[in-house]
Amino acid sequence: MNLVPIFKDLVLVGGGHTHALVLRKWAMNPLPGVRITLISPQALTPYSGMLPGLIAGHYSFEQTHIDLVKLSLWANIRFIQDSVTAIDAASNTLELKNRPATEFDVVSIDIGSTPNQSIEGSAEYTTPVKPISEFYQRWNQIQKHAQQQKIRSLAVVGGGAGSVEVIMAIAFKLKQFNTSIQYHLITAADDILPGYNRTVIKRVKQQLKKYHIEIHSSTRVARLGQNTIYCQNADSIVADEIIWCTQAAGSTWLQQSQIECDDAGFMKVRQTLQSLSYEHIFAAGDIANMVANPRPKAGVYAVRQADTLFHNLRAVLLDKSLLEYRPQDGFLSLLALGEKRATGSKSLFSFSGDWVWRWKSSIDNKFMHQFHQLPVLPMASATMINPALIADAEKTEQHDPLKRCTGCGAKVSASVLQQVLNDVLGIGYYQPQDAVRISNNAEIIYQSVDALNACIDDPWLFGRIAVNHALSDLYAMNLKPESAQLLITLPYAGQSIQKRQLKALLQGISLQLETLQCRFVGGHTSEASELSVGLVVNGILQDKPLFNKQGLNPGDKLVISKPLGTGVILAAAMQDKCDGVIFNQAIHSMLQANDQAARVLSKLNVKACTDVTGFGLLGHLHELCLASACSASLNLNAIPCLPGAEALARKNIKSSLYAQNLKTFAAMQWPDAITQQSRFNLLFDPQTSGGLLAGIPAKTYIELDKSFHQQFYTIGEVLAFDDSLVRIQIQDT
């Protein structure tokens, strides 16, 4: 429970090295009253220094990537997986590709760079090295093609450190497939590795020769075609695969903003890492152009900017003095040579060998270890809000949650509410009344109510999940959702933050209601310690059979539409024990409404159905069995589970409602061979926005086609009740 009101929004765009370090530092020393949001199109962000080792097969994918979802859950920050498409610096707004815009008070940008693909054909016929996540997918395809002897020639365009490391790593890896490939390294410069000392260049050239990599220096690419590189003043080069690793470029959306950028699209920043144009906008890593002290694009600068950025983000929020970042003049440079050897230099000194590889690997692994082994965070000690974070107009208000009004005094202000409703629904859509007419139809109306405390720190996604969870009761009866009223409880916060929170929440709710053709007709808002959403939903009868809990018959096949495991995954996330991929798959499941499942079941003479939510699969199946005076047999191995859920259950992670759900079945005796399996625990796992559980008549089930079995899992059968046996039998065959 967070009793600290939020007054400022700090948004980090991009999961680069600098931001990853800043998040780790912030988690260890948070600033009460500030909410951080991380926006990144990838949930797993690569460490560029280990890319050659990943290509060569020296490291696994997991070793070379930072799990941003897991990091965010650990650091207690909000993570949004999306791409920024525009920034409005004047209104403090970021436009996103797949969801509504988000607002900020302070923003920092660390989105890296991409190879410049301005040359004709480069975007269509080459694979850029960055973003690394997209390159790695293509690299996996290249390996398959090489194994199938489909690649005879491969070219890398670019002559810098990244280019030579990439082509040597590729040559080392593909050599293992006994392939005969001609490699080309193409650079417009007079020689490779400009800026490096002659000894390092000589050693790299020796390694390139060992891998039969031909160097094309002073060769400028004019244009590209299918499998062909057309060069200026030189013959064209044929290559089945072309890797683009040229001079980097910045982001188009930054160039199109009011923020001052250089010709290549990099944001111009001061010594404090602030934009030249706006003091509340920062940049770090490759995307930043340090105007006073220009430096090459190198990860060492990004890493060392973290301390300065961490201090200055806090300072600008608190209106304190900022520090200047002073980049070093030179740095240790280590280049991987494909195999487990490396060469490097520092000033006039150079070195090479196996030991240099081990040195480089040790440095890289040490950096990644701090994200793979996240420490237990200390309990928050400081909860007092710095007055500098509070708007002048709100400084006289009572901000201690324990002393704020309850009862009607806990309502969200009318101005905030009306403005958000106008923003989300349009001016005039919602006219306040003391009561509303919930239906314009004469049909019989069924009503249900449900409520959820926020299970994720993303109000837009949470709003959509809350709608799915509440409407599931209507789909479980084969009703058509008609209208919904909301009961929203917002956490204590400053008015601007409260408005943003409510707006994002209502945007998610209204989107999901509109998608499911259910009208929003009103509601109530209040304040409390945490975000929660309740919905009163109304459904009407269709010209289709009504599902109920009394309709099971012996011989019916039991089917379920969604895997189990959201409860244990959400519990693991709260305990910092859940990987980001697993967490995201649970979110994806909760975002799937039950309308399609209900539509399929309504065509199959189904009489008994329910949704699987808080009482778990066994709890809800038990309700069906009692109502229908029957028993059931389940096949434990046939019950679907979300990826990672069973492994988490094996670690004895349980949702808070698990014990109560299990207690309901204390009198039932199942064999130890069943109860000792981790999957057994998931039968009692409470599900948020779970699937539909139904009985399919035996005759109907025989005739079902493949498409049905792609949507539903068959998990058991209905039996006649026998009081000498347990109500629900469980087998693992």
Side-chain angles (χ1 to χ4, degrees):
M1 181 180 296
N2 181 19
L3 294 178
V4 182
I6 302 298
F7 291 93
K8 295 292 183 182
D9 269 318
L10 167 60
V11 176
L12 306 183
V13 179
H17 307 344
T18 314
H19 278 176
L21 287 168
V22 166
L23 286 178
R24 198 177 188 282
K25 293 174 182 293
W26 201 288
M28 304 296 283
N29 186 21
L31 181 58
V34 176
R35 176 174 58 204
I36 299 184
T37 300
L38 172 64
I39 303 175
S40 170
Q42 291 92 27
L44 296 168
T45 188
Y47 178 46
S48 58
M50 298 177 83
L51 174 62
L54 175 64
I55 294 172
H58 304 321
Y59 302 119
S60 68
F61 182 86
E62 291 73 20
Q63 286 176 298
T64 59
H65 284 71
I66 300 171
D67 188 334
L68 294 179
V69 177
K70 187 173 185 178
L71 178 63
S72 300
L73 291 168
W74 169 78
N76 194 30
I77 71 158
R78 178 179 298 169
F79 176 71
I80 295 176
Q81 188 171 350
D82 206 345
S83 300
V84 173
T85 58
I87 182 171
D88 188 329
S91 64
N92 290 358
T93 302
L94 294 163
E95 298 292 335
L96 304 181
K97 182 178 180 181
N98 300 309
R99 56 189 287 160
T102 191
E103 298 175 69
F104 60 86
D105 296 296
V106 176
V107 66
S108 177
I109 301 171
D110 181 17
I111 55 176
S113 60
T114 58
N116 189 331
Q117 292 184 287
S118 59
I119 294 177
E120 180 186 347
S122 58
E124 294 85 359
Y125 302 116
T126 73
T127 300
V129 170
K130 293 184 178 181
I132 292 174
S133 58
E134 295 178 14
F135 169 75
Y136 184 70
Q137 293 178 14
R138 181 59 187 169
W139 168 235
N140 288 330
Q141 292 297 317
I142 291 173
Q143 291 181 79
K144 291 179 181 178
H145 292 164
Q147 287 178 294
Q148 297 165 357
Q149 307 296 316
K150 293 181 178 179
I151 298 178
R152 293 167 297 174
S153 177
L154 183 146
V156 172
V157 180
S163 303
V164 299
E165 284 190 302
V166 164
I167 198 166
M168 286 188 289
I170 289 173
F172 171 79
K173 182 63 177 179
L174 298 188
K175 184 180 179 181
Q176 300 174 22
F177 302 144
N178 296 317
T179 57
S180 178
I181 298 175
Q182 176 62 53
Y183 294 100
H184 303 277
L185 180 63
I186 304 165
T187 176
D190 294 336
D191 205 350
I192 61 171
L193 297 175
Y196 280 78
N197 68 44
R198 299 307 306 172
T199 304
V200 169
I201 295 174
K202 180 180 178 181
R203 286 173 178 151
V204 169
K205 283 185 173 181
Q206 290 172 344
Q207 193 73 359
L208 291 170
K209 183 177 181 181
K210 176 181 176 180
Y211 288 128
H212 306 291
I213 298 170
E214 183 179 355
I215 302 172
H216 302 263
S217 57
S218 302
T219 303
R220 187 172 298 277
V221 175
R223 62 186 178 88
L224 295 107
Q226 182 74 43
N227 300 335
T228 306
I229 302 168
Y230 298 96
C231 307
Q232 295 179 3
N233 305 319
D235 294 334
S236 59
I237 299 169
V238 176
D240 298 309
E241 289 288 341
I242 305 172
I243 310 298
W244 200 251
C245 193
T246 61
Q247 187 175 8
S251 169
T252 303
W253 62 265
L254 269 179
Q255 289 178 295
Q256 295 172 346
S257 71
Q258 313 102 309
I259 301 170
E260 188 174 352
C261 297
D262 63 19
D263 293 340
F266 299 107
M267 186 195 301
K268 293 183 178 181
V269 298
R270 316 172 201 182
Q271 297 288 92
T272 56
L273 302 179
Q274 292 169 292
S275 161
L276 296 186
S277 310
Y278 298 91
E279 292 186 350
H280 67 300
I281 297 177
F282 292 75
D286 284 359
I287 197 63
N289 176 353
M290 296 177 285
V291 176
N293 292 287
R295 290 294 187 274
K297 305 300 181 185
V300 64
Y301 297 116
V303 170
R304 296 190 180 183
Q305 286 170 345
D307 286 339
T308 304
L309 183 62
F310 172 69
H311 176 275
N312 288 353
L313 289 174
R314 298 167 71 93
V316 77
L317 286 163
L318 298 174
D319 198 22
K320 293 185 177 181
S321 59
L322 279 66
L323 299 177
E324 292 190 347
Y325 170 67
R326 298 288 182 180
Q328 69 271 35
D329 291 329
F331 59 89
L332 173 68
S333 176
L334 300 176
L335 300 179
L337 297 175
E339 58 198 85
K340 289 188 176 181
R341 296 182 68 248
T343 187
S345 63
K346 179 71 183 291
S347 299
L348 300 177
F349 300 97
S350 60
F351 24 79
S352 184
D354 299 349
W355 68 272
V356 182
W357 161 263
R358 292 192 296 271
W359 185 20
K360 172 177 167 52
S361 184
S362 175
I363 293 171
D364 292 338
N365 279 306
K366 183 179 178 181
F367 177 82
M368 293 300 289
H369 180 78
Q370 59 191 324
F371 300 104
H372 291 160
Q373 299 296 325
L374 297 168
V376 176
L377 292 175
M379 294 292 292
S381 56
T383 58
M384 294 296 294
I385 305 296
N386 191 308
L389 298 173
I390 305 174
D392 290 340
E394 298 180 50
K395 277 186 165 61
T396 58
E397 296 182 15
Q398 175 57 259
H399 297 299
D400 185 343
L402 299 178
K403 296 179 182 179
R404 288 178 70 88
C405 296
T406 55
C408 278
K411 288 172 67 71
V412 173
S413 73
S415 60
V416 169
L417 180 60
Q418 191 62 59
Q419 187 173 354
V420 170
L421 289 172
N422 288 344
D423 288 345
V424 176
L425 302 174
I427 297 175
Y429 178 91
Y430 176 70
Q431 298 295 330
Q433 298 287 349
D434 290 331
V436 296
R437 182 175 180 176
I438 62 175
S439 177
N440 296 320
N441 304 307
E443 292 95 336
I444 297 174
I445 297 174
Y446 287 76
Q447 190 173 85
S448 180
V449 61
D450 220 319
L452 285 177
N453 287 338
C455 51
I456 57 174
D457 192 23
D458 184 333
W460 185 73
L461 286 180
F462 173 59
R464 295 175 59 193
I465 290 170
V467 169
N468 287 344
H469 188 78
L471 293 185
S472 183
D473 286 335
L474 301 183
Y475 292 126
M477 293 187 67
N478 206 18
L479 297 166
K480 180 184 181 302
E482 207 281 334
S483 61
Q485 293 195 72
L486 308 177
L487 180 59
I488 295 174
T489 304
L490 294 174
Y492 307 117
Q495 284 196 9
S496 63
I497 299 298
Q498 206 168 64
K499 176 189 168 186
R500 292 172 189 170
Q501 181 102 328
L502 180 58
K503 183 176 180 179
L505 181 67
L506 281 180
Q507 284 172 328
I509 290 173
S510 62
L511 170 64
Q512 205 66 10
L513 287 174
E514 182 180 351
T515 300
L516 299 173
Q517 300 181 337
C518 182
R519 294 185 303 124
F520 165 62
V521 294
H524 179 82
T525 56
S526 62
E527 287 185 329
S529 59
E530 58 186 339
L531 176 65
S532 68
V533 172
L535 290 100
V536 177
V537 293
N538 306 292
I540 56 176
L541 282 171
Q542 308 178 82
D543 56 350
K544 299 175 182 177
L546 191 69
F547 302 156
N548 55 62
K549 294 182 179 180
Q550 295 83 31
L552 287 182
N553 290 297
D556 288 357
K557 295 291 186 179
L558 293 170
V559 299
I560 191 172
S561 63
K562 285 189 184 185
L564 306 180
T566 57
V568 70
I569 291 174
L570 291 173
M574 293 182 67
Q575 300 173 39
D576 304 325
K577 296 179 180 178
C578 183
D579 292 340
V581 172
I582 292 171
F583 183 79
N584 277 348
Q585 287 171 327
I587 297 295
H588 178 75
S589 176
M590 291 186 285
L591 287 172
Q592 305 306 307
N594 281 325
D595 58 328
Q596 294 292 337
R599 196 169 295 122
V600 171
L601 293 175
S602 69
K603 301 175 182 178
L604 301 178
N605 196 30
V606 167
K607 295 183 174 59
C609 182
T610 189
D611 58 335
V612 180
T613 52
F615 297 152
L617 174 61
L618 275 197
H620 290 285
L621 176 58
H622 193 241
E623 286 183 337
L624 287 179
C625 289
L626 289 177
S628 303
C630 64
S631 297
S633 174
L634 291 180
N635 180 354
L636 189 62
N637 292 330
I639 293 170
C641 302
L642 286 167
E646 197 169 354
L648 293 172
R650 197 175 299 121
K651 295 178 181 178
N652 206 33
I653 296 173
K654 298 180 176 68
S655 172
S656 56
L657 195 57
Y658 169 87
Q660 292 92 318
N661 288 345
L662 179 63
K663 189 176 181 180
T664 303
F665 297 91
M668 293 193 186
Q669 298 295 318
W670 291 291
D672 291 344
I674 295 295
T675 60
Q676 291 175 1
Q677 295 187 42
S678 54
R679 184 170 294 211
F680 174 78
N681 292 341
L682 297 178
L683 302 182
F684 308 94
D685 191 50
Q687 303 301 290
T688 299
S689 185
L692 296 184
L693 171 66
I696 309 290
K699 291 183 179 179
T700 305
Y701 185 85
I702 294 173
E703 300 172 354
L704 294 176
D705 59 16
K706 183 179 179 181
S707 65
F708 175 86
H709 294 292
Q710 290 175 337
Q711 299 177 67
F712 287 84
Y713 307 86
T714 303
I715 62 172
E717 186 173 347
V718 179
L719 306 174
F721 178 63
D722 184 342
D723 58 8
S724 66
L725 300 173
V726 295
R727 176 75 68 171
I728 299 176
Q729 302 171 34
I730 304 175
Q731 292 137 10
D732 61 353
T733 56

